[in-house]
Amino acid sequence: MSKLPQWDVFTVEEVSEEERRAGKKAYWTKIGGGWDSEKGDTITIALQALPLNGRIVLRPPLPKEDQTPAASEREYRNSRGR
């Protein structure tokens, strides 16, 4: 395993109807990191917390200058130029 994670691990919680009407999509909370195996066929995940809803999302880390977790899928895609 390399020292820095090759993946950021998040749990994603949906928002209430009221928050959705206000434009909020979801709450993203970083809960760990992941590393590709030497063969590249598996990912080892180290969690610092467990998601209450059972949902885990893996994403490549953001560049160092933009380490603030994205608040929504749209914000994340925009930050990655997608």
Side-chain angles (χ1 to χ4, degrees), residues 3-23:
K3 291 183 180 183
L4 293 176
Q6 296 158 312
W7 300 94
D8 286 338
V9 181
F10 295 89
T11 183
V12 182
E13 296 177 68
E14 299 303 320
V15 298
S16 68
E17 188 61 37
E18 182 179 325
E19 290 172 305
R20 190 173 290 121
R21 284 192 297 268

Side-chain angles (χ1 to χ4, degrees), residues 6-68:
Q6 296 158 312
W7 300 94
D8 286 338
V9 181
F10 295 89
T11 183
V12 182
E13 296 177 68
E14 299 303 320
V15 298
S16 68
E17 188 61 37
E18 182 179 325
E19 290 172 305
R20 190 173 290 121
R21 284 192 297 268
K24 187 82 170 153
K25 298 289 183 187
Y27 292 107
W28 290 73
T29 305
K30 186 175 176 183
I31 60 170
W35 295 263
D36 292 328
S37 68
E38 286 186 21
K39 288 184 179 180
D41 58 350
T42 59
I43 299 172
T44 299
I45 298 173
L47 298 176
Q48 297 161 338
L50 296 175
L52 296 177
N53 62 4
R55 182 177 174 193
I56 294 176
V57 177
L58 298 174
R59 291 195 162 153
L62 292 172
K64 264 197 182 260
E65 64 273 2
D66 189 16
Q67 286 294 312
T68 316

